[in-house]
Amino acid sequence: MVHDPHRSDGAPQGQAPPAAGERIAKALARAGVASRREVERLIEAGRVALNGQVLASPAVKVEPGDILTVDGAVVEDAEPARLFRYHKPAGQVTTHKDPQGRPTVFDNLPAGLPRLISVGRLDLNSEGLLLFTNDGGLARALELPATGVMRRYRARARGRVTQERLDKLREGVTVEGVRYGPVEAHLDKAKEGPQGANLWITVTLNEGKNREVRRVLESVGLTVNRLIRLSYGPLALGTLAAGEIEEVGPRVLREQFADHIAPANLPKGDRPQFAGVATPAPTRARTPGARAAAGAGGARSRPEQPKKVYKAGWAKAKAPKPGGMRTPKGGKARAKPADAAAKPAGRNPQRRG
């Protein structure tokens, strides 16, 4: 057979055809099991199996028809992408489990929702808009600095600064060896006090690194004592009250996030599955009775108070004193008024006809 270098049929000799399918970390992230990084940790711990074989490396691709299990439970096919807006109050940790036992944002979600992944984080003392999704690929895309999704915050800080100094943050800044990209900071309000000025500043950035707003403002001499995230990309906090959650409609997902969602995972229809705005149950109930009531309906209730036990005979009538009974006309006895003994002797009360 004569070798023809211009032939293009078949694969080149000595090279295996590229493996089909989807990387296992991405497949599990799309199925809502965990983020890609968390999936890699699950694989290292020997908790993920493909077609009955425990995996030791994430460098595996999943093909149609393969059976994936995590901790022995079969992972179902990825559901259509869903996205939720949540107003995180201060005092909650953005994690599934906290070693210190502090309340988490996931503890406060209402029942009936799929397994969700947080899009980015807000630290313990920060509040405002936090996004949840069941699509790991969407979460990763919205978190990456390369995607350039805009985040807007409102910060209350103590100190003194000028707008000219804040404008220099547009060039980026390096704090303790960490380089932060351009930051837009606008001084909204300043109020002088006995211990310095109390400032309100609107901050806009595109990276979202850990504690970025606080550290960037610290670089210009400000101490942030309150931080509220107002928006994340095209989604805003709006009128959501602290602790409330609302699902973003499928149409918005298709229009705003189609580039970050696999075509097979795009939602259909126009109405969200989780209708309305829900106020989750309190993170920690004070009593077992209140916790059960909160888990059932999400409403706060006071613990039942035990009924007061009275001593035996408390409600019995006292025996009449000697001479304390008189017999009026008709022969029926009735009690003598209690204040009769205090009236002076010889005084006859007038009887009304």
Side-chain angles (χ1 to χ4, degrees):
M1 180 177 178
V2 180
H3 172 66
D4 185 356
H6 298 288
R7 292 183 59 181
S8 59
D9 55 326
Q13 294 182 0
Q15 295 183 6
E22 187 178 40
R23 292 184 66 89
I24 189 168
K26 183 177 180 180
L28 291 178
R30 285 188 58 227
V33 173
S35 66
R36 296 188 188 187
R37 187 173 299 177
E38 291 173 345
V39 168
E40 292 176 357
R41 287 196 288 263
L42 292 176
I43 293 175
E44 292 176 359
R47 299 169 59 184
V48 180
L50 176 63
N51 298 326
Q53 183 178 0
V54 178
L55 300 179
S57 169
V60 178
K61 289 193 174 182
V62 182
E63 299 181 3
D66 287 343
I67 300 177
L68 272 174
T69 58
V70 177
D71 294 335
V74 177
V75 179
E76 302 293 338
D77 293 337
E79 296 180 349
R82 298 174 69 180
L83 189 64
F84 297 81
R85 296 185 306 123
Y86 175 65
H87 187 161
K88 175 194 174 299
Q92 293 181 358
V93 186
T94 309
T95 183
H96 282 276
K97 294 181 180 180
D98 182 63
Q100 302 180 28
R102 295 171 296 184
T104 73
V105 293
F106 294 97
D107 295 337
N108 217 34
L109 297 181
L113 298 181
R115 188 185 186 281
L116 298 176
I117 304 170
S118 64
V119 179
R121 292 174 179 267
L122 286 174
D123 59 37
L124 178 67
N125 296 320
S126 298
E127 53 192 294
L129 181 63
L130 182 64
L131 302 182
F132 293 105
T133 180
N134 65 336
D135 190 301
L138 175 60
R140 179 174 175 81
L142 295 179
E143 291 174 350
L144 287 175
T147 309
V149 178
M150 184 184 67
R151 292 92 154 164
R152 180 174 286 111
Y153 299 81
R154 192 104 191 276
R156 186 179 66 188
R158 183 170 295 279
R160 290 183 174 86
V161 72
T162 62
Q163 183 61 52
E164 290 74 17
R165 192 173 182 186
L166 292 176
D167 290 340
K168 293 183 179 180
L169 297 176
R170 298 175 183 174
E171 304 172 359
V173 63
T174 300
V175 182
E176 297 180 355
V178 179
R179 181 64 183 178
Y180 298 98
V183 174
E184 292 280 346
H186 181 74
L187 183 60
D188 299 323
K189 184 179 179 181
K191 184 178 180 180
E192 290 289 340
Q195 299 180 355
N198 212 21
L199 313 174
W200 278 103
I201 302 173
T202 299
V203 181
T204 305
L205 49 89
N206 298 92
E207 285 186 334
K209 292 181 180 178
N210 184 33
R211 300 179 65 84
E212 181 170 355
V213 176
R214 297 179 185 274
R215 291 178 176 175
V216 167
L217 293 183
E218 285 175 1
S219 69
V220 294
L222 300 178
T223 301
V224 176
N225 49 43
R226 187 179 182 187
L227 185 62
I228 308 168
R229 182 150 65 193
L230 302 178
S231 64
Y232 199 113
L235 303 178
L237 180 63
T239 58
L240 278 180
E244 289 185 341
I245 186 169
E246 183 178 34
E247 184 170 5
V248 178
R251 178 181 296 179
V252 176
L253 282 179
R254 294 193 301 269
E255 294 177 351
Q256 300 291 340
F257 304 102
D259 294 340
H260 309 308
I261 303 175
N265 209 24
L266 282 173
K268 299 179 180 179
D270 296 329
R271 297 184 178 181
Q273 301 180 41
F274 187 80
V277 177
T279 301
T283 302
R284 289 183 177 178
R286 296 183 180 179
T287 65
R291 181 174 300 173
R300 298 183 180 181
S301 59
R302 295 181 180 179
E304 296 183 0
Q305 298 293 338
K307 295 183 179 180
K308 188 174 181 179
V309 179
Y310 298 98
K311 296 181 180 179
W314 181 87
K316 293 182 180 179
K318 296 181 180 180
K321 296 180 180 180
M325 302 293 291
R326 58 180 180 177
T327 305
K329 295 180 179 179
K332 294 182 179 180
R334 61 184 181 184
K336 187 176 181 180
D339 59 347
K343 295 180 180 181
R347 182 178 178 181
N348 296 325
Q350 296 181 357
R351 295 183 181 180
R352 299 181 179 178

